[in-house]
Amino acid sequence: MQTLITLEEVRSLRQQWTKENHKVAFVPTMGALHDGHLSLMLQARKLADVVIASIFVNPKQFGPSEDFSKYPRTLQDDTTKLNRVGVDAVFLPNAADIYPEGFQTMVTNREMANALCGLSRPGHFDGVLTVVAKLFNLVQPHISLFGKKDYQQWRLIETMVRDLGMSVEVVGCDITREPDGLAMSSRNRYLTPEQREQASAIYRALTATKSLRTQGEKAIERLLAQFKNELAKTPALQLEYAEIREKFTLRGPPFQLDKPSVLLVAAKIGATRLIDNIELD
Ligand code: AMP
């Protein structure tokens, strides 16, 4: 696996891949890699000839009181894992190259970002979209893979690609879960053993609501009430939001529940914020 640090190194490898006529897949990450990240790499290998991953803890997507400085950084372990799953190159940019002196241009979404996680994390998605746009420009992938774990992020990136005419295909990948259903996340390592056990209640509540939906319940209020009742059985989980939204646009009700929809949730346990979701159709 090649390790690339400078923008020049990325451009030069990209040119070589063009000459070799390779289909290029790109998976951006912030490192602290787990099996959820690796599932994206494995799927990328199936869909393209070469796979490039990036690891960059993007300062612009963290709020002033968020965990940027203590976000887990496990570079050596990460590169070993990427190598093992057959990634061809990893890009480890310096912040000064991504955000050079005088940096002043951002990508902003004016609609979908103003809901769900965007409410409690102002500016977060601007930071995400800006860094992903920059990485797309550098890497020029044919396809790029994102986890449905960050459902709103995935839909925002699809929207950016459509709105700005970027020539990359965005692929959403299924959520990888722990055996008890907790969605894998780099932040799960913040949880104490007790919190870790309590956190699995999120997925239990999500699946209970999905089965109510599968049994034919159509009223959004009743589905949400059932989800909240189920989650309330674990008082350690402080619900930030639970919403049912149209699956492609993430628009909220009123909409026909025969349209594909998704139940999205954010909850805090202690100081750790967890997100998860389940498609209801
Ligand atoms: P992050 O390092 O948190 O920025 O995540 C990098 C990519 O991995 C994003 O597209 C995430 O949605 C995806 N990802 C993170 N956790 C999971 C998971 N449990 N299952 C599937 N994809 C995931």
Side-chain angles (χ1 to χ4, degrees):
M1 181 175 73
Q2 299 192 50
T3 300
L4 316 170
I5 309 290
T6 67
L7 310 193
E8 256 331 294
E9 285 168 335
V10 176
R11 290 193 180 110
S12 133
L13 179 63
R14 186 64 189 84
Q15 275 169 11
Q16 185 194 318
W17 282 345
T18 300
K19 280 189 205 129
E20 292 166 357
N21 217 8
H22 284 324
K23 179 169 178 184
V24 177
F26 174 48
V27 185
T29 80
M30 298 204 301
L33 301 182
H34 49 65
D35 285 353
H37 295 112
L38 299 182
S39 73
L40 270 54
M41 311 295 164
L42 291 170
Q43 182 149 3
R45 280 191 54 188
K46 289 191 198 144
L47 297 176
D49 304 315
V50 284
V51 178
I52 175 167
S54 64
I55 299 177
F56 180 60
V57 185
N58 173 30
K60 289 214 187 294
Q61 70 186 70
F62 288 80
S65 58
E66 292 183 358
D67 55 348
F68 175 68
S69 56
K70 74 168 186 134
Y71 196 83
R73 288 161 172 88
T74 58
L75 191 56
Q76 205 150 23
D77 188 44
D78 291 349
T79 48
T80 307
K81 286 176 176 165
L82 292 176
N83 218 340
R84 207 182 299 144
V85 293
V87 166
D88 298 276
V90 60
F91 179 34
L92 309 170
N94 289 313
D97 289 330
I98 297 295
Y99 301 118
E101 188 74 24
F103 185 90
Q104 52 193 281
T105 308
M106 299 286 291
V107 179
T108 299
N109 174 291
R110 295 189 180 278
E111 187 181 325
M112 196 190 282
N114 300 332
L116 304 166
C117 290
L119 292 178
S120 65
R121 306 188 72 188
H124 166 68
F125 288 121
D126 290 357
V128 170
L129 293 176
T130 301
V131 81
V132 170
K134 178 140 192 177
L135 291 168
F136 280 176
N137 282 335
L138 292 164
V139 174
Q140 298 184 16
H142 295 95
I143 65 169
S144 187
L145 294 89
F146 293 86
K148 293 188 186 180
K149 156 81 172 31
D150 301 277
Y151 205 92
Q152 188 179 12
Q153 168 178 285
W154 165 49
R155 293 301 192 196
L156 280 161
I157 288 163
E158 280 187 337
T159 305
M160 172 181 76
V161 163
R162 182 201 65 194
D163 287 355
L164 301 184
M166 296 174 166
S167 54
V168 51
E169 181 192 337
V170 174
V171 177
C173 303
D174 288 341
I175 301 175
T176 304
R177 299 181 178 279
E178 300 287 356
D180 67 356
L182 178 66
M184 288 191 183
S185 163
S186 307
R187 290 187 168 100
N188 290 351
R189 68 187 71 195
Y190 299 153
L191 302 173
T192 65
E194 191 191 10
Q195 290 172 335
R196 168 64 193 79
E197 207 180 304
Q198 292 163 331
S200 63
I202 298 175
Y203 186 62
R204 275 201 302 281
L206 286 172
T207 46
T209 305
K210 179 162 176 147
S211 51
L212 187 63
R213 169 77 189 113
T214 313
Q215 287 156 31
E217 178 58 70
K218 284 196 169 155
I220 288 182
E221 326 76 78
R222 277 201 290 275
L223 290 164
L224 285 177
Q226 193 246 21
F227 176 81
K228 288 174 188 172
N229 281 339
E230 198 58 44
L231 202 73
K233 293 178 186 163
T234 308
L237 282 166
Q238 293 296 310
L239 188 62
E240 182 185 304
Y241 68 75
E243 292 194 40
I244 293 175
R245 293 199 162 229
E246 200 274 319
K247 177 168 126 171
F248 298 103
T249 63
L250 294 190
R251 293 210 175 101
F255 60 83
Q256 299 288 328
L257 239 197
D258 45 10
K259 274 199 173 175
S261 63
V262 55
L263 166 56
L264 305 114
V265 52
K268 265 193 155 178
I269 185 158
T272 306
R273 186 174 177 279
L274 301 172
I275 57 170
D276 204 344
N277 64 79
I278 198 162
E279 290 173 333
L280 292 179
D281 51 298

